[in-house]
Amino acid sequence: TELESSTIVGIDTEWAKSGDGQTIAATFQIAVQNPKSCLSTYVVDLLVAAPDENYRICCRGLIEYIFSTKIVLGFSVGNDIPKIQSALYSSAEQSSGVSRENLLDLQSLWDKDQPRSLAACAEFFYKTAKLDKYEQRSNWSDRPLRPEQLEYAALDAAILLVILSEKARRSLSRDKV
């Protein structure tokens, strides 16, 4: 499958407010690039995982597979990991659930004078690219998710792979000069 053949996986989450007002992970997005350089993105609904033990176990298996076998690319991902753990693991299991060993935070690759948000990074590399962050503030606890929300969530994960590829290409070009 695409996931099995990918070395690097882009991830992101979208958050919602729970009934008691806590911020929780509503979705988990996974972007992969196949050998023909085509991107595919999957949006996993984490709110469904709460009441459905079998679904939660499947999500945990997927996330553990990704975090233990792939280079996991995120952007300012430090807050996402605890939200994913809270959605899928009991308090006792959280410390062992998701390994950060293979995690690469794309934001950490920027110099201090370079863009610090994902939208700014996309625009930095692609002047015509404008990430519309409107859907980020939409209600991620409403089901079903709207097509615009799914598209936004998928793009946030996919753009990570595109930005990393362009940053690497530019670095290699500079080194050849």
Side-chain angles (χ1 to χ4, degrees), residues 7-104:
T7 305
I8 301 175
V9 176
I11 65 149
D12 191 38
T13 61
E14 301 309 326
W15 300 357
K17 292 285 186 189
S18 66
D20 62 3
Q22 290 189 11
T23 303
I24 56 172
T27 64
F28 175 71
Q29 298 89 252
I30 306 160
V32 295
Q33 189 169 5
N34 70 24
K36 295 181 181 178
S37 294
C38 294
L39 293 174
S40 296
T41 309
Y42 305 91
V43 179
V44 179
D45 189 343
L46 294 178
L47 292 185
V48 173
D52 187 333
E53 183 64 21
N54 290 331
Y55 184 79
R56 188 168 62 236
I57 289 169
C58 288
C59 289
R60 284 166 47 170
L62 173 64
I63 287 170
E64 288 170 8
Y65 170 74
I66 290 170
F67 277 83
S68 65
T69 64
K70 308 296 175 192
I71 296 169
V72 180
L73 181 64
F75 194 93
S76 189
V77 73
N79 292 321
D80 290 339
I81 305 299
K83 300 289 185 231
I84 293 167
Q85 289 177 309
S86 293
L88 299 176
Y89 299 91
S90 70
S91 325
E93 300 170 310
Q94 285 185 24
S95 61
S96 62
V98 177
S99 168
R100 295 175 186 238
E101 203 170 291
N102 299 330
L103 184 63
L104 174 61

